[in-house]
Amino acid sequence: MKKILLLALTLVVVATAWLGYKLHSRPSLDRYASLTFAPASEGGAGDLRVSFLGVSTLLLRDATTAVLIDGFFSRPGIVATAVAKLGPDAPRIRAALAKAGIERLDAVVTVHSHYDHAMDTPAVAALTGAVVVGSPSTANIARGQGLAEDRLRVVTATQSMQFGDLRVTLIPSHHFPHGQAMGEITAPLVPPVGALDYLEGGSFSVLVERGTKAVLVQGSAGFVEGALAGRHADVVYLGVGLLGSKDEAYRDAYWRETVTAVGARRVVPVHWDDFTRSLDEPLVALPYLFDDLDASMDFVLARAAREGVDIRWPVLWQNSDPFDGL
Ligand SMILES: [Zn+2]
């Protein structure tokens, strides 16, 4: 009996140590420091500027128009995410908008309805005057937070809309196939609710065109074969989360159906930071318990080198010219 107890105790200690290690150890970002964008000037009237704000939250703006992808700033901690109910954190949202220099937005475009993309979208829209653009599930997140119906642009198939000189096209895509929190949000979702109540609700690739230049945002590492055929983008903001966990055939297909499909000459990896940490702290990669950024980037860097595609590492808060040097 004593031996069994001792064995059980040893197992608990080993499992706890393993979990602790996996939770606290993560890839270093030093490897990517040499790939960062040079800071950009404010830009002339015709210039597009992009700021990376964590996960796949991206601010795209020219002199007169500003569009935000996702807009996730609350970033609740890991314990709260696992056991508590979640809702938008107004002070954190206000602080992030101020730090990013965002006063007015024309639109907040949500790539899918998981909490790390869509939970704050309605609050951001309410604070900035933006319309919310996204799936019927995203619309139900917005309704649950009291955003008026005339502020919603519900998208169910490929659709383009014009904001100033920015043409924004949502193209149905797929989420990375991890199978968690899939399905539709079919009624207004009133926070606080569990992280897994923010069901995916369908995913989009988002193409933002300005004149002859364009960027594509692929928020999650999934794809629909042929969906981007005939589209062009100079730069892809490519979701790389969990990509390293898939086999070579999947990664090949993902690259082909996104980067190759639009003929991009530059890739900017996104959705690699640990989004259970506040934006007041420097970004770090997700812990090994959840992802292995280096495994994803081994693939991305090798494929980019082979095909002559430039890789730039995004810097939090920094204003960048996505087309710099292309
Ligand atoms: Zn997701």
Side-chain angles (χ1 to χ4, degrees), residues 257-304:
E257 295 294 339
T258 55
V259 181
T260 308
V262 299
R265 288 172 293 152
R266 172 172 290 155
V267 163
V268 183
V270 295
H271 211 332
W272 46 262
D273 57 298
D274 182 346
F275 50 88
T276 65
R277 289 162 56 105
S278 149
L279 286 177
D280 293 338
E281 305 170 83
L283 293 187
V284 294
L286 279 161
Y288 287 116
L289 185 64
F290 302 113
D291 196 8
D292 181 351
L293 173 63
D294 285 340
S296 303
M297 287 304 295
D298 284 344
F299 167 77
V300 168
L301 290 169
R303 179 54 54 95

Side-chain angles (χ1 to χ4, degrees), residues 112 114 116-117 175 178 220 271:
H112 64 264
H114 282 152
D116 54 324
H117 301 266
H175 194 273
H178 61 40
S220 177
H271 211 332

Side-chain angles (χ1 to χ4, degrees), residues 52-66:
F52 173 59
L53 304 173
V55 199
S56 54
T57 292
L58 293 158
L59 171 65
L60 298 93
R61 58 182 158 187
D62 64 13
T64 55
T65 306

Side-chain angles (χ1 to χ4, degrees), residues 37 235-240 266-270 310-314 322:
F37 272 108
V235 179
V236 177
Y237 288 80
L238 188 71
V240 297
R266 172 172 290 155
V267 163
V268 183
V270 295
D310 184 47
I311 300 287
R312 290 292 174 100
W313 196 252

